[in-house]
């Protein structure tokens, strides 16, 4: 015998057919225009086709950059500026672009800027920058201005400072032909003034000397040896160690300018090694100021480069930076 059947019959009897007819009459009495007005309510049209994505602003700007690349490519190909041969590419001016970092780009695109997204954006910007360079060189200023306005939105605000970081300041000579440079090494600094040795002028020969009627043997004019004064002392007195003097005169030997310049320097701070290195650094920069054609050779020889090595600091519990005290068992 099924015990659940009486309960099921009892529950089925609770639902009255009158209630069902009441709901049907209420649904039938509703006006059809009310139902249509609720179901066909006009929805606003999204302004962007990427409205239903999670990063609408990011994809909109990516699309904008891709369209700019496509239009620029067609314009340059129409004017026979693309593709460029190898020799034309080598003659173009170098690219100088400093884009915003990932943090600023995230604020610009209103989304988290991962490494993959940042690389994709910078790749498109570099392509636009290349087209701008070709347009400027090829005589298309309108296209270059339009691309420049687009790229300006993504350039870093510190572009000028970052581009000028690697450039060396030009050393100008004064009215007397002197150069003033600053050399540094460790905690020492050296202010260096350099002036070429003046050769004494020989008087013009007289007519008798030109005709050989007069003895032309006279005093010989010789060039004086160079003078290097450091804090108003000669070089050999201020730096008694030969290694320090060799470090100072190395730029003069490399340039073949021994005895060609008078050097006056003021050194401060550090010890003899740091002061000699700072003085050699300042002399190398001064030689490049007088003879700019030696800049490449000095740069390759690392003479004009500031030596970044510093003394390692002392550590707690040690005698010096790495020297330890003698271990005693008892």
């Amino acid at each position: 015998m099924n015990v659940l059947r009486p309960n099921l019959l009892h529950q089925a009897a609770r639902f009255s057919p009158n209630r069902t007819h009441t709901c049907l009459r209420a649904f039938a009495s509703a006006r059809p225009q009310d139902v249509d007005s609720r179901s066909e309510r006009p929805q606003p049209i999204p302004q962007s086709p990427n409205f239903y994505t999670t990063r609408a602003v990011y994809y909109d700007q990516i699309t904008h950059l891709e369209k700019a690349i496509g239009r620029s490519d067609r314009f340059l190909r129409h004017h026979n500026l693309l593709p460029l041969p190898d020799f034309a590419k080598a003659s173009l001016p170098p690219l100088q672009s400093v884009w915003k970092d990932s943090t600023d780009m995230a604020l610009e695109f209103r989304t988290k800027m991962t490494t993959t997204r940042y690389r994709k954006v910078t790749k498109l910007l570099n392509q636009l920058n290349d087209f701008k360079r070709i347009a400027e060189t090829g005589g298309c200023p309108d296209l270059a201005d339009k691309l420049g306005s687009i790229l300006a939105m993504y350039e870093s605000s510190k572009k000028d400072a970052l581009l000028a970081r690697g450039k060396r300041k030009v050393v100008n000579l004064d009215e007397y032909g002197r150069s003033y440079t600053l050399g540094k090494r460790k905690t020492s600094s050296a202010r260096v003034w350099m002036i070429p040795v003046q050769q004494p002028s020989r008087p013009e020969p007289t007519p008798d000397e030109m005709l050989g009627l007069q003895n032309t043997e006279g005093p010989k004019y010789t060039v004086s040896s160079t003078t290097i004064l450091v804090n108003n002392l000669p070089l050999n007195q201020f730096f008694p160690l030969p290694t320090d003097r060799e470090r100072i005169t190395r730029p003069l030997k490399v340039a073949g300018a021994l005895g060609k310049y008078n050097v006056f320097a003021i050194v401060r701070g550090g010890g003899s090694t740091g002061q000699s290195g700072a003085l050699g650094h300042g002399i190398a920069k001064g030689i490049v100021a007088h003879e700019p054609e030696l800049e490449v050779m000095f740069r390759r020889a690392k003479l004009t480069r500031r030596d970044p090595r510093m003394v390692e600091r002392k550590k707690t519990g040690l005698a010096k930076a790495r020297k330890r005290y003698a271990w005693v068992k008892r």
Side-chain angles (χ1 to χ4, degrees), residues 135-284:
E136 289 177 348
T137 309
C140 301
D142 296 337
L143 178 61
D145 294 340
K146 292 180 181 178
L147 294 179
S149 61
I150 296 175
L151 296 174
M153 298 186 298
Y154 305 98
E155 288 182 345
S156 176
S157 58
K158 304 177 182 178
K159 177 181 178 180
D160 297 336
L162 293 175
L163 292 178
R165 179 180 296 176
K167 294 183 179 179
R168 194 179 302 276
K169 294 183 179 179
V170 180
V171 179
N172 298 321
L173 305 180
D174 60 3
E175 63 273 14
Y176 303 105
R178 296 176 300 185
S179 65
Y180 170 71
T181 55
L182 181 65
K184 291 186 178 182
R185 173 74 173 97
K186 293 184 179 179
T187 58
S188 304
S189 62
R191 293 183 291 169
V192 183
W193 289 266
M194 294 181 61
I195 184 171
V197 173
Q198 302 294 331
Q199 298 183 3
S201 60
R202 186 173 181 178
E204 296 182 358
T206 61
D208 295 339
E209 293 177 350
M210 295 176 64
L211 294 174
L213 301 177
Q214 188 177 356
N215 186 14
T216 58
E217 293 183 0
K220 296 182 180 180
Y221 294 91
T222 59
V223 178
S224 61
S225 60
T226 182
T227 303
I228 301 180
L229 294 179
V230 184
N231 293 357
N232 292 330
L233 292 177
L235 180 64
N236 56 353
Q237 294 183 14
F238 195 86
F239 293 103
L241 297 179
T243 55
D244 294 337
R245 295 197 297 267
E246 179 67 24
R247 193 178 297 111
I248 294 170
T249 57
R250 182 169 179 263
L252 296 171
K253 292 180 180 179
V254 171
L258 280 175
K260 191 176 179 180
Y261 297 98
N262 288 321
V263 181
F264 307 96
I266 298 176
V267 295
R268 292 288 185 271
S272 61
T273 303
Q275 290 180 355
S276 61
L279 182 54
H281 183 217
I283 290 175

Side-chain angles (χ1 to χ4, degrees), residues 65-170:
L65 294 176
E66 290 176 349
K67 287 182 179 179
I69 290 175
R71 293 174 182 174
S72 303
D73 185 82
R74 289 192 296 269
F75 181 87
L76 294 176
R77 290 183 183 275
H78 179 71
H79 289 77
N80 298 324
L81 293 176
L82 282 179
L84 287 177
D86 295 336
F87 71 91
K89 290 181 180 179
S91 62
L92 291 175
L95 286 174
Q96 294 183 347
S97 57
V98 180
W99 311 119
K100 296 180 179 179
D101 56 3
S102 58
T103 305
D104 296 338
M105 283 289 188
L107 298 176
E108 185 73 25
F109 286 85
R110 299 180 185 178
T111 184
K112 183 180 179 181
M113 190 60 60
T114 60
T115 305
T116 304
R117 297 171 192 163
Y118 185 75
R119 288 178 179 175
K120 183 177 181 179
V121 173
T122 52
K123 182 179 179 180
L124 297 176
L125 294 176
N126 290 331
Q127 185 67 34
L128 278 179
N129 198 13
D130 190 18
F131 287 164
K132 177 189 174 185
R133 178 179 60 167
I134 296 174
E136 289 177 348
T137 309
C140 301
D142 296 337
L143 178 61
D145 294 340
K146 292 180 181 178
L147 294 179
S149 61
I150 296 175
L151 296 174
M153 298 186 298
Y154 305 98
E155 288 182 345
S156 176
S157 58
K158 304 177 182 178
K159 177 181 178 180
D160 297 336
L162 293 175
L163 292 178
R165 179 180 296 176
K167 294 183 179 179
R168 194 179 302 276
K169 294 183 179 179
V170 180

